[in-house]
mmCIF file of all heavy atoms in Angstrom:
data_model
loop_
_atom_site.group_PDB
_atom_site.id
_atom_site.type_symbol
_atom_site.label_atom_id
_atom_site.label_comp_id
_atom_site.label_asym_id
_atom_site.label_seq_id
_atom_site.Cartn_x
_atom_site.Cartn_y
_atom_site.Cartn_z
ATOM 1 N N ILE A 28 -35.563 -15.928 -1.172
ATOM 2 C CA ILE A 28 -34.124 -16.130 -1.371
ATOM 3 C C ILE A 28 -33.539 -16.712 -0.077
ATOM 4 O O ILE A 28 -33.704 -16.161 1.012
ATOM 5 C CB ILE A 28 -33.455 -14.806 -1.750
ATOM 6 C CG1 ILE A 28 -33.963 -14.251 -3.044
ATOM 7 C CG2 ILE A 28 -31.901 -14.990 -1.836
ATOM 8 C CD1 ILE A 28 -33.405 -12.945 -3.433
ATOM 9 N N LYS A 29 -32.805 -17.791 -0.236
ATOM 10 C CA LYS A 29 -32.131 -18.443 0.880
ATOM 11 C C LYS A 29 -30.611 -18.277 0.741
ATOM 12 O O LYS A 29 -30.086 -18.317 -0.340
ATOM 13 C CB LYS A 29 -32.517 -19.927 0.965
ATOM 14 C CG LYS A 29 -33.965 -20.181 1.255
ATOM 15 C CD LYS A 29 -34.211 -21.666 1.365
ATOM 16 C CE LYS A 29 -35.696 -21.936 1.725
ATOM 17 N NZ LYS A 29 -35.953 -23.399 1.871
ATOM 18 N N LEU A 30 -29.980 -18.116 1.886
ATOM 19 C CA LEU A 30 -28.521 -17.965 1.900
ATOM 20 C C LEU A 30 -27.918 -19.273 2.379
ATOM 21 O O LEU A 30 -28.387 -19.872 3.364
ATOM 22 C CB LEU A 30 -28.107 -16.802 2.830
ATOM 23 C CG LEU A 30 -28.632 -15.421 2.445
ATOM 24 C CD1 LEU A 30 -28.127 -14.409 3.454
ATOM 25 C CD2 LEU A 30 -28.168 -15.046 1.053
ATOM 26 N N SER A 31 -26.883 -19.696 1.694
ATOM 27 C CA SER A 31 -26.186 -20.891 2.106
ATOM 28 C C SER A 31 -24.698 -20.651 1.940
ATOM 29 O O SER A 31 -24.265 -19.859 1.100
ATOM 30 C CB SER A 31 -26.613 -22.083 1.219
ATOM 31 O OG SER A 31 -26.298 -21.844 -0.153
ATOM 32 N N SER A 32 -23.932 -21.324 2.771
ATOM 33 C CA SER A 32 -22.462 -21.182 2.731
ATOM 34 C C SER A 32 -21.831 -22.493 2.354
ATOM 35 O O SER A 32 -22.363 -23.589 2.630
ATOM 36 C CB SER A 32 -21.911 -20.721 4.092
ATOM 37 O OG SER A 32 -22.213 -21.711 5.086
ATOM 38 N N ARG A 33 -20.704 -22.382 1.693
ATOM 39 C CA ARG A 33 -19.946 -23.579 1.295
ATOM 40 C C ARG A 33 -18.451 -23.296 1.463
ATOM 41 O O ARG A 33 -18.004 -22.189 1.241
ATOM 42 C CB ARG A 33 -20.223 -23.941 -0.161
ATOM 43 C CG ARG A 33 -20.059 -22.804 -1.129
ATOM 44 C CD ARG A 33 -20.421 -23.196 -2.563
ATOM 45 N NE ARG A 33 -20.403 -22.060 -3.463
ATOM 46 C CZ ARG A 33 -19.320 -21.630 -4.105
ATOM 47 N NH1 ARG A 33 -18.188 -22.333 -3.954
ATOM 48 N NH2 ARG A 33 -19.374 -20.578 -4.925
ATOM 49 N N PRO A 34 -17.737 -24.284 1.934
ATOM 50 C CA PRO A 34 -16.283 -24.059 2.101
ATOM 51 C C PRO A 34 -15.543 -23.963 0.775
ATOM 52 O O PRO A 34 -15.848 -24.663 -0.161
ATOM 53 C CB PRO A 34 -15.842 -25.302 2.922
ATOM 54 C CG PRO A 34 -16.842 -26.349 2.552
ATOM 55 C CD PRO A 34 -18.160 -25.633 2.331
ATOM 56 N N LEU A 35 -14.540 -23.114 0.749
ATOM 57 C CA LEU A 35 -13.722 -22.936 -0.470
ATOM 58 C C LEU A 35 -12.337 -23.590 -0.254
ATOM 59 O O LEU A 35 -11.919 -24.387 -1.118
ATOM 60 C CB LEU A 35 -13.550 -21.460 -0.767
ATOM 61 C CG LEU A 35 -14.760 -20.690 -1.230
ATOM 62 C CD1 LEU A 35 -14.441 -19.233 -1.465
ATOM 63 C CD2 LEU A 35 -15.306 -21.302 -2.529
ATOM 64 N N TRP A 36 -11.685 -23.242 0.794
ATOM 65 C CA TRP A 36 -10.386 -23.842 1.045
ATOM 66 C C TRP A 36 -10.054 -23.760 2.505
ATOM 67 O O TRP A 36 -10.691 -23.038 3.275
ATOM 68 C CB TRP A 36 -9.286 -23.162 0.211
ATOM 69 C CG TRP A 36 -9.268 -21.690 0.258
ATOM 70 C CD1 TRP A 36 -9.800 -20.816 -0.655
ATOM 71 C CD2 TRP A 36 -8.654 -20.827 1.257
ATOM 72 N NE1 TRP A 36 -9.608 -19.521 -0.308
ATOM 73 C CE2 TRP A 36 -8.883 -19.487 0.869
ATOM 74 C CE3 TRP A 36 -7.949 -21.059 2.422
ATOM 75 C CZ2 TRP A 36 -8.460 -18.390 1.623
ATOM 76 C CZ3 TRP A 36 -7.502 -19.992 3.147
ATOM 77 C CH2 TRP A 36 -7.738 -18.676 2.764
ATOM 78 N N ASN A 37 -9.024 -24.464 2.907
ATOM 79 C CA ASN A 37 -8.581 -24.507 4.295
ATOM 80 C C ASN A 37 -7.064 -24.424 4.312
ATOM 81 O O ASN A 37 -6.385 -25.262 3.782
ATOM 82 C CB ASN A 37 -9.094 -25.767 4.983
ATOM 83 C CG ASN A 37 -8.702 -25.798 6.479
ATOM 84 O OD1 ASN A 37 -8.731 -24.741 7.121
ATOM 85 N ND2 ASN A 37 -8.358 -26.938 6.981
ATOM 86 N N TYR A 38 -6.544 -23.382 4.961
ATOM 87 C CA TYR A 38 -5.082 -23.223 5.114
ATOM 88 C C TYR A 38 -4.674 -23.679 6.514
ATOM 89 O O TYR A 38 -5.276 -23.240 7.508
ATOM 90 C CB TYR A 38 -4.700 -21.747 4.887
ATOM 91 C CG TYR A 38 -3.281 -21.430 5.377
ATOM 92 C CD1 TYR A 38 -2.191 -21.692 4.553
ATOM 93 C CD2 TYR A 38 -3.085 -20.867 6.619
ATOM 94 C CE1 TYR A 38 -0.919 -21.391 4.990
ATOM 95 C CE2 TYR A 38 -1.820 -20.575 7.037
ATOM 96 C CZ TYR A 38 -0.728 -20.834 6.228
ATOM 97 O OH TYR A 38 0.527 -20.537 6.676
ATOM 98 N N VAL A 39 -3.687 -24.532 6.564
ATOM 99 C CA VAL A 39 -3.167 -25.013 7.836
ATOM 100 C C VAL A 39 -1.756 -24.525 8.002
ATOM 101 O O VAL A 39 -0.909 -24.693 7.077
ATOM 102 C CB VAL A 39 -3.211 -26.573 7.890
ATOM 103 C CG1 VAL A 39 -2.647 -27.066 9.228
ATOM 104 C CG2 VAL A 39 -4.642 -27.051 7.697
ATOM 105 N N ALA A 40 -1.450 -23.914 9.138
ATOM 106 C CA ALA A 40 -0.130 -23.395 9.376
ATOM 107 C C ALA A 40 0.886 -24.535 9.567
ATOM 108 O O ALA A 40 0.484 -25.677 9.942
ATOM 109 C CB ALA A 40 -0.124 -22.508 10.636
ATOM 110 N N PRO A 41 2.168 -24.306 9.315
ATOM 111 C CA PRO A 41 3.164 -25.314 9.546
ATOM 112 C C PRO A 41 3.130 -25.791 10.994
ATOM 113 O O PRO A 41 2.694 -25.099 11.910
ATOM 114 C CB PRO A 41 4.487 -24.599 9.246
ATOM 115 C CG PRO A 41 4.110 -23.538 8.293
ATOM 116 C CD PRO A 41 2.746 -23.091 8.702
ATOM 117 N N GLN A 42 3.594 -26.995 11.186
ATOM 118 C CA GLN A 42 3.512 -27.583 12.551
ATOM 119 C C GLN A 42 4.323 -26.764 13.531
ATOM 120 O O GLN A 42 5.457 -26.390 13.311
ATOM 121 C CB GLN A 42 4.093 -29.015 12.501
ATOM 122 C CG GLN A 42 3.955 -29.784 13.799
ATOM 123 C CD GLN A 42 4.404 -31.206 13.682
ATOM 124 O OE1 GLN A 42 4.936 -31.643 12.656
ATOM 125 N NE2 GLN A 42 4.288 -31.980 14.742
ATOM 126 N N GLY A 43 3.642 -26.488 14.630
ATOM 127 C CA GLY A 43 4.295 -25.694 15.660
ATOM 128 C C GLY A 43 4.223 -24.189 15.511
ATOM 129 O O GLY A 43 4.806 -23.453 16.297
ATOM 130 N N ALA A 44 3.534 -23.726 14.456
ATOM 131 C CA ALA A 44 3.431 -22.307 14.159
ATOM 132 C C ALA A 44 2.025 -21.773 14.500
ATOM 133 O O ALA A 44 1.057 -22.520 14.358
ATOM 134 C CB ALA A 44 3.784 -21.995 12.685
ATOM 135 N N ARG A 45 1.947 -20.537 14.923
ATOM 136 C CA ARG A 45 0.707 -19.879 15.230
ATOM 137 C C ARG A 45 0.502 -18.669 14.356
ATOM 138 O O ARG A 45 1.462 -17.890 14.123
ATOM 139 C CB ARG A 45 0.635 -19.462 16.700
ATOM 140 C CG ARG A 45 0.726 -20.615 17.687
ATOM 141 C CD ARG A 45 0.666 -20.103 19.127
ATOM 142 N NE ARG A 45 1.764 -19.123 19.372
ATOM 143 C CZ ARG A 45 1.579 -17.966 19.992
ATOM 144 N NH1 ARG A 45 0.397 -17.568 20.371
ATOM 145 N NH2 ARG A 45 2.599 -17.187 20.197
ATOM 146 N N ILE A 46 -0.743 -18.445 13.902
ATOM 147 C CA ILE A 46 -1.039 -17.248 13.115
ATOM 148 C C ILE A 46 -1.307 -16.099 14.075
ATOM 149 O O ILE A 46 -2.267 -16.150 14.866
ATOM 150 C CB ILE A 46 -2.239 -17.491 12.203
ATOM 151 C CG1 ILE A 46 -2.009 -18.694 11.305
ATOM 152 C CG2 ILE A 46 -2.582 -16.248 11.383
ATOM 153 C CD1 ILE A 46 -3.214 -19.047 10.433
ATOM 154 N N LEU A 47 -0.498 -15.059 14.059
ATOM 155 C CA LEU A 47 -0.631 -13.942 14.933
ATOM 156 C C LEU A 47 -1.225 -12.698 14.272
ATOM 157 O O LEU A 47 -1.966 -11.949 14.927
ATOM 158 C CB LEU A 47 0.735 -13.593 15.532
ATOM 159 C CG LEU A 47 1.409 -14.669 16.393
ATOM 160 C CD1 LEU A 47 2.689 -14.152 16.960
ATOM 161 C CD2 LEU A 47 0.503 -15.155 17.481
ATOM 162 N N LYS A 48 -0.891 -12.497 12.993
ATOM 163 C CA LYS A 48 -1.388 -11.335 12.297
ATOM 164 C C LYS A 48 -1.855 -11.726 10.902
ATOM 165 O O LYS A 48 -1.292 -12.680 10.320
ATOM 166 C CB LYS A 48 -0.310 -10.255 12.158
ATOM 167 C CG LYS A 48 0.273 -9.735 13.464
ATOM 168 C CD LYS A 48 -0.675 -8.809 14.177
ATOM 169 C CE LYS A 48 -0.032 -8.266 15.466
ATOM 170 N NZ LYS A 48 -0.916 -7.334 16.177
ATOM 171 N N HIS A 49 -2.860 -11.050 10.368
ATOM 172 C CA HIS A 49 -3.288 -11.246 9.022
ATOM 173 C C HIS A 49 -3.781 -9.908 8.414
ATOM 174 O O HIS A 49 -4.250 -9.031 9.160
ATOM 175 C CB HIS A 49 -4.388 -12.327 8.917
ATOM 176 C CG HIS A 49 -5.737 -11.846 9.271
ATOM 177 N ND1 HIS A 49 -6.132 -11.694 10.613
ATOM 178 C CD2 HIS A 49 -6.781 -11.431 8.517
ATOM 179 C CE1 HIS A 49 -7.375 -11.263 10.626
ATOM 180 N NE2 HIS A 49 -7.788 -11.091 9.385
ATOM 181 N N ALA A 50 -3.611 -9.763 7.103
ATOM 182 C CA ALA A 50 -4.022 -8.565 6.452
ATOM 183 C C ALA A 50 -4.534 -8.921 5.052
ATOM 184 O O ALA A 50 -3.984 -9.798 4.388
ATOM 185 C CB ALA A 50 -2.857 -7.587 6.294
ATOM 186 N N SER A 51 -5.571 -8.243 4.635
ATOM 187 C CA SER A 51 -6.165 -8.473 3.294
ATOM 188 C C SER A 51 -5.843 -7.279 2.373
ATOM 189 O O SER A 51 -5.587 -6.190 2.812
ATOM 190 C CB SER A 51 -7.678 -8.653 3.420
ATOM 191 O OG SER A 51 -8.026 -9.753 4.257
ATOM 192 N N MET A 52 -5.948 -7.551 1.088
ATOM 193 C CA MET A 52 -5.692 -6.556 0.063
ATOM 194 C C MET A 52 -6.856 -5.548 0.037
ATOM 195 O O MET A 52 -7.993 -5.948 -0.196
ATOM 196 C CB MET A 52 -5.482 -7.185 -1.283
ATOM 197 C CG MET A 52 -5.103 -6.200 -2.389
ATOM 198 S SD MET A 52 -3.407 -5.573 -2.215
ATOM 199 C CE MET A 52 -2.466 -7.041 -2.628
ATOM 200 N N PRO A 53 -6.600 -4.264 0.194
ATOM 201 C CA PRO A 53 -7.705 -3.265 0.108
ATOM 202 C C PRO A 53 -8.083 -3.089 -1.364
ATOM 203 O O PRO A 53 -7.336 -3.279 -2.262
ATOM 204 C CB PRO A 53 -7.072 -2.021 0.688
ATOM 205 C CG PRO A 53 -5.607 -2.170 0.458
ATOM 206 C CD PRO A 53 -5.317 -3.641 0.581
ATOM 207 N N ALA A 54 -9.336 -2.734 -1.538
ATOM 208 C CA ALA A 54 -9.898 -2.539 -2.891
ATOM 209 C C ALA A 54 -9.610 -1.128 -3.328
ATOM 210 O O ALA A 54 -10.498 -0.268 -3.424
ATOM 211 C CB ALA A 54 -11.395 -2.808 -2.885
ATOM 212 N N ASP A 55 -8.346 -0.853 -3.659
ATOM 213 C CA ASP A 55 -7.931 0.480 -4.098
ATOM 214 C C ASP A 55 -7.561 0.430 -5.577
ATOM 215 O O ASP A 55 -7.084 -0.554 -6.091
ATOM 216 C CB ASP A 55 -6.732 0.951 -3.298
ATOM 217 C CG ASP A 55 -7.084 1.252 -1.863
ATOM 218 O OD1 ASP A 55 -8.292 1.434 -1.597
ATOM 219 O OD2 ASP A 55 -6.164 1.294 -1.002
ATOM 220 N N PRO A 56 -7.774 1.520 -6.302
ATOM 221 C CA PRO A 56 -7.374 1.581 -7.713
ATOM 222 C C PRO A 56 -5.857 1.590 -7.840
ATOM 223 O O PRO A 56 -5.130 2.018 -6.942
ATOM 224 C CB PRO A 56 -7.985 2.887 -8.223
ATOM 225 C CG PRO A 56 -8.138 3.694 -7.019
ATOM 226 C CD PRO A 56 -8.458 2.777 -5.878
ATOM 227 N N VAL A 57 -5.358 1.124 -8.988
ATOM 228 C CA VAL A 57 -3.941 1.061 -9.272
ATOM 229 C C VAL A 57 -3.655 1.923 -10.463
ATOM 230 O O VAL A 57 -4.202 1.690 -11.579
ATOM 231 C CB VAL A 57 -3.467 -0.391 -9.483
ATOM 232 C CG1 VAL A 57 -1.989 -0.434 -9.766
ATOM 233 C CG2 VAL A 57 -3.800 -1.226 -8.273
ATOM 234 N N ALA A 58 -2.780 2.932 -10.328
ATOM 235 C CA ALA A 58 -2.455 3.819 -11.424
ATOM 236 C C ALA A 58 -1.199 3.352 -12.174
ATOM 237 O O ALA A 58 -1.080 3.490 -13.374
ATOM 238 C CB ALA A 58 -2.276 5.239 -10.924
ATOM 239 N N TRP A 59 -0.212 2.793 -11.448
ATOM 240 C CA TRP A 59 1.016 2.372 -12.053
ATOM 241 C C TRP A 59 1.157 0.873 -11.895
ATOM 242 O O TRP A 59 1.272 0.367 -10.769
ATOM 243 C CB TRP A 59 2.223 3.061 -11.365
ATOM 244 C CG TRP A 59 1.977 4.546 -11.133
ATOM 245 C CD1 TRP A 59 1.779 5.153 -9.937
ATOM 246 C CD2 TRP A 59 1.909 5.570 -12.150
ATOM 247 N NE1 TRP A 59 1.578 6.482 -10.103
ATOM 248 C CE2 TRP A 59 1.648 6.773 -11.449
ATOM 249 C CE3 TRP A 59 2.012 5.567 -13.522
ATOM 250 C CZ2 TRP A 59 1.503 7.989 -12.093
ATOM 251 C CZ3 TRP A 59 1.870 6.794 -14.165
ATOM 252 C CH2 TRP A 59 1.608 7.963 -13.456
ATOM 253 N N ALA A 60 1.158 0.142 -12.999
ATOM 254 C CA ALA A 60 1.156 -1.300 -12.949
ATOM 255 C C ALA A 60 2.532 -1.891 -13.120
ATOM 256 O O ALA A 60 2.690 -3.108 -13.048
ATOM 257 C CB ALA A 60 0.225 -1.886 -14.028
ATOM 258 N N GLY A 61 3.555 -1.106 -13.378
ATOM 259 C CA GLY A 61 4.897 -1.640 -13.614
ATOM 260 C C GLY A 61 5.927 -1.020 -12.675
ATOM 261 O O GLY A 61 5.738 0.064 -12.130
ATOM 262 N N ILE A 62 7.002 -1.778 -12.480
ATOM 263 C CA ILE A 62 8.155 -1.353 -11.696
ATOM 264 C C ILE A 62 9.321 -1.225 -12.647
ATOM 265 O O ILE A 62 9.835 -2.240 -13.158
ATOM 266 C CB ILE A 62 8.481 -2.319 -10.553
ATOM 267 C CG1 ILE A 62 7.253 -2.473 -9.654
ATOM 268 C CG2 ILE A 62 9.671 -1.846 -9.767
ATOM 269 C CD1 ILE A 62 7.450 -3.515 -8.544
ATOM 270 N N PRO A 63 9.830 -0.030 -12.986
ATOM 271 C CA PRO A 63 10.919 0.095 -13.939
ATOM 272 C C PRO A 63 12.245 -0.381 -13.338
ATOM 273 O O PRO A 63 12.552 -0.109 -12.209
ATOM 274 C CB PRO A 63 10.957 1.609 -14.224
ATOM 275 C CG PRO A 63 10.383 2.231 -12.983
ATOM 276 C CD PRO A 63 9.351 1.272 -12.507
ATOM 277 N N LEU A 64 13.013 -1.096 -14.199
ATOM 278 C CA LEU A 64 14.335 -1.614 -13.787
ATOM 279 C C LEU A 64 15.385 -1.028 -14.734
ATOM 280 O O LEU A 64 15.117 -0.189 -15.551
ATOM 281 C CB LEU A 64 14.342 -3.142 -13.772
ATOM 282 C CG LEU A 64 13.301 -3.814 -12.845
ATOM 283 C CD1 LEU A 64 13.377 -5.330 -13.006
ATOM 284 C CD2 LEU A 64 13.535 -3.414 -11.401
ATOM 285 N N GLU A 65 16.577 -1.607 -14.594
ATOM 286 C CA GLU A 65 17.686 -1.220 -15.468
ATOM 287 C C GLU A 65 17.459 -1.688 -16.893
ATOM 288 O O GLU A 65 16.764 -2.680 -17.131
ATOM 289 C CB GLU A 65 19.001 -1.767 -14.921
ATOM 290 C CG GLU A 65 19.443 -1.136 -13.571
ATOM 291 C CD GLU A 65 19.960 0.275 -13.760
ATOM 292 O OE1 GLU A 65 20.284 0.648 -14.897
ATOM 293 O OE2 GLU A 65 19.992 1.011 -12.754
ATOM 294 N N ALA A 66 18.086 -0.991 -17.838
ATOM 295 C CA ALA A 66 18.101 -1.384 -19.257
ATOM 296 C C ALA A 66 16.709 -1.477 -19.828
ATOM 297 O O ALA A 66 16.411 -2.272 -20.717
ATOM 298 C CB ALA A 66 18.819 -2.694 -19.448
#
Side-chain angles (χ1 to χ4, degrees):
I28 298 177
K29 295 183 178 180
L30 301 179
S31 62
S32 62
R33 53 185 173 87
L35 292 178
W36 50 263
N37 183 38
Y38 166 83
V39 180
Q42 186 175 3
R45 297 180 302 133
I46 304 175
L47 299 183
K48 302 285 184 180
H49 78 281
S51 301
M52 183 72 70
D55 292 340
V57 179
W59 316 109
I62 302 176
L64 301 177
E65 292 287 341

